[in-house]
Amino acid sequence: MAQIGWIDFSPEHRERVSAVLDLLKPEGVVDELGIGSIRDAFADKMFPGISTIQTKAKYFFIVPYILYEYQLLSLARQKSKTPEKHLEEREYEVMWELAERYEHKVGCGVIGITKYKPEKIMRRPSAIYWHGLDVFGVIRHGGLGVNSFLRSRMERAETLTSDIAQGDDAPHDDADVDYINRFNLKIPFDKDWADNLTLDLTPEEANILYHRIREAGKELLIGVLLEDKELFANFEKTESFADFAKIASSGNKLNQHIREMLTLAHDFSELMYGAHITYNCLLQENKFNNSAYSDEWSEWVENIGSNMIDYKRFNPDKVFEHVHRVRRHTRQFVYDWWNYINASSHPISKRNELTEVQEFNTKLVKARIRQNKYDDIKEKTWIGLTKLEYRMPNAKIILQDIFGGLRMA
């Protein structure tokens, strides 16, 4: 399994690395052939602010509500507890409360649903939703990690509060703190938010998030999905990105830019699916000497032209117009793989060579094929990515939550 390591200098370093890992997290599986950066670039162009580990839209409000609570504490209480500590404590209190309310049943969207007090989790909602909070204009943090942002805002606010009387007995203590929006929160505070807490959006919250996402996603797929009920209905009922892309790209309602993005993302996914079939063919053949997934390969290579939406006009150059941060060997692999598929013949030896070299360049000493590391391979069991979903399942949940809240108005 691929891993990333870093020297643990400080909490700030851990925080920033965790934020990066959130953005790079594969769709539930390991990215064996190094195409995750391309997948994520397309996902950002279609579903900005959404990540594969977001579960419910309500967390876009829970985090700022907790920070509002801190701002309403007396200055004396703020001095006794940092906002980082307050946020951590309240997130866990909310987690345990929600886990109990939803009876610890997996699948309901509670982050940490399996935990009982005082059990904790590795990644709290504030980290999971932090990037999206900035994208949707709820907390403009300029790319700073959670703790770094909170500390910087407190330091900045000190000059504004230096002359304010401090202590629980100060007559204007709470009012003055309320006046200073230390964390530059851009949504109104619901003072009753924690009463009978659920993961359902209130109509007011749904309306706020609807407009924030529509603004952030202007001229992008996620924005159109909020505006076009018919398109969203297709989006909601389709099981995969591939199915939705074929339906949406065949209509005339989308503008050219979004239609081309959908087509390109779909066709790139279909193209790379062949490489992942090859990868699994090699693993099975090398360890078990079987032909598992060979039929899938034959079917795929025979039908690639018809399975892509626009095979004739596909060009890797167009892919890399939208993807700027990708390793050189991965960029070259996409070109080489397309040239191989677009050729008149498809020798198995060439197919295998391209895939083996790409896995080695991606994983180096942990490459299974070149390093003969097959201990974790099970017979007739798929390893790695399949067809790419581009965060569509998570975007579907967030949008469903919004429309659910709006219907309650």
Side-chain angles (χ1 to χ4, degrees):
M1 179 178 291
Q3 296 180 337
I4 297 177
W6 71 93
I7 299 174
D8 189 7
F9 285 118
S10 67
E12 288 83 355
H13 289 109
R14 291 196 299 272
E15 178 186 325
R16 293 184 69 86
V17 170
S18 293
V20 171
L21 292 177
D22 279 345
L23 297 177
L24 300 181
K25 181 179 173 64
E27 299 173 332
V29 289
V30 177
D31 175 22
E32 306 290 355
L33 298 182
I35 66 167
S37 59
I38 303 174
R39 175 203 59 206
D40 293 344
F42 277 122
D44 287 339
K45 294 292 182 70
M46 293 184 285
F47 306 115
I50 305 298
S51 79
T52 59
I53 49 179
Q54 291 173 0
T55 58
K56 298 290 285 184
K58 186 73 172 187
Y59 287 105
F60 282 113
F61 293 89
I62 290 175
V63 174
Y65 285 165
I66 291 174
L67 294 178
Y68 263 119
E69 286 182 342
Y70 183 82
Q71 293 184 156
L72 291 171
L73 295 176
S74 68
L75 291 175
R77 293 183 65 188
Q78 288 188 23
K79 281 191 171 295
S80 69
K81 181 189 296 185
T82 66
E84 306 98 275
K85 187 63 176 176
H86 176 80
L87 179 61
E88 179 183 0
E89 291 177 353
R90 288 292 286 129
E91 282 187 279
Y92 282 126
E93 290 171 359
V94 168
M95 181 185 78
W96 295 320
E97 179 182 342
L98 287 173
E100 184 175 350
R101 177 177 291 275
Y102 289 92
E103 300 178 334
H104 298 273
K105 294 180 179 178
V106 175
C108 63
V110 176
I111 296 174
I113 186 67
T114 62
K115 302 300 182 183
Y116 292 79
K117 191 174 182 178
E119 294 178 309
K120 297 184 177 182
I121 53 178
M122 290 292 293
R123 197 69 51 80
R124 307 196 316 269
S126 54
I128 294 171
Y129 285 77
W130 193 242
H131 176 66
L133 286 166
D134 184 61
V135 171
F136 301 144
V138 178
I139 304 176
R140 292 295 191 187
H141 53 69
L144 287 176
V146 181
N147 291 342
S148 297
F149 171 76
L150 296 179
R151 281 193 295 272
S152 69
R153 296 298 297 186
M154 290 298 290
E155 291 169 359
R156 181 176 178 180
E158 282 183 1
T159 57
L160 299 176
T161 60
S162 58
D163 296 329
I164 297 177
Q166 299 183 22
D168 289 333
D169 297 328
H172 303 294
D173 204 1
D174 289 346
D176 287 334
V177 175
D178 186 26
Y179 177 78
I180 302 173
N181 188 354
R182 282 175 159 81
F183 307 122
N184 201 24
L185 305 172
K186 299 296 186 180
I187 60 170
F189 178 49
D190 178 4
K191 62 183 178 58
D192 300 319
W193 75 274
D195 298 337
N196 300 313
L197 180 63
T198 72
L199 288 178
D200 297 327
L201 292 178
T202 66
E204 294 75 18
E205 291 168 343
N207 184 60
I208 290 169
L209 198 54
Y210 171 88
H211 286 94
R212 294 301 179 86
I213 293 181
R214 192 177 68 170
E215 179 65 24
K218 189 178 296 182
E219 300 300 317
L220 301 178
L221 177 59
I222 196 170
V224 177
L225 286 168
L226 285 171
E227 297 174 349
D228 190 325
K229 293 183 179 179
E230 181 181 348
L231 184 68
F232 178 76
N234 287 326
F235 182 75
E236 190 174 27
K237 72 183 181 182
T238 49
E239 296 294 328
S240 69
F241 177 82
D243 291 340
F244 171 72
K246 287 179 179 178
I247 293 172
S249 63
S250 64
N252 297 318
K253 300 185 70 174
L254 294 176
N255 65 40
Q256 183 178 353
H257 170 74
I258 296 177
R259 186 181 296 109
E260 288 178 353
M261 179 68 66
L262 272 172
T263 299
L264 193 59
H266 173 278
D267 288 354
F268 173 76
S269 172
E270 187 65 39
L271 179 66
M272 289 297 103
Y273 182 51
H276 288 93
I277 294 175
T278 301
Y279 183 64
N280 280 275
C281 286
L282 285 169
L283 296 180
Q284 293 293 313
E285 180 180 348
N286 292 352
K287 182 170 183 178
F288 301 107
N289 196 30
N290 66 28
S291 58
Y293 304 113
S294 294
D295 289 344
E296 283 83 348
W297 166 259
S298 298
E299 180 180 355
W300 178 85
V301 76
E302 180 180 350
N303 297 305
I304 180 64
S306 58
N307 285 343
M308 290 173 69
I309 295 174
D310 196 357
Y311 176 84
K312 292 183 178 179
R313 289 192 288 184
F314 182 84
N315 186 332
D317 288 342
K318 294 182 179 179
V319 171
F320 294 111
E321 288 176 4
H322 302 284
V323 183
H324 306 293
R325 295 183 179 180
V326 60
R327 297 171 72 178
R328 182 179 302 176
H329 69 81
T330 296
R331 181 187 295 265
Q332 188 59 51
F333 172 68
V334 173
Y335 281 105
D336 291 344
W337 186 256
W338 170 243
N339 290 335
Y340 167 74
I341 296 303
N342 209 31
S344 57
S345 63
H346 308 102
I348 295 298
S349 59
K350 180 63 173 178
R351 174 200 78 166
N352 293 351
E353 178 189 0
L354 289 173
T355 306
E356 177 183 340
V357 170
Q358 176 62 10
E359 191 218 16
F360 176 72
N361 287 336
T362 300
K363 301 181 67 178
L364 300 176
V365 296
K366 296 185 178 181
R368 291 187 177 94
I369 300 171
R370 186 72 63 86
Q371 305 295 348
N372 198 32
K373 294 185 176 182
Y374 301 113
D375 292 344
D376 63 335
I377 305 302
K378 299 178 182 178
E379 191 166 10
K380 298 181 181 178
T381 300
W382 186 276
I383 294 289
L385 300 176
T386 54
K387 294 187 179 181
L388 307 177
E389 292 300 322
Y390 299 107
R391 306 176 196 159
M392 174 176 164
N394 305 82
K396 185 182 294 188
I397 291 170
I398 300 301
L399 298 186
Q400 286 173 331
D401 286 354
I402 292 173
F403 285 120
L406 292 174
R407 284 194 292 269
M408 294 175 61

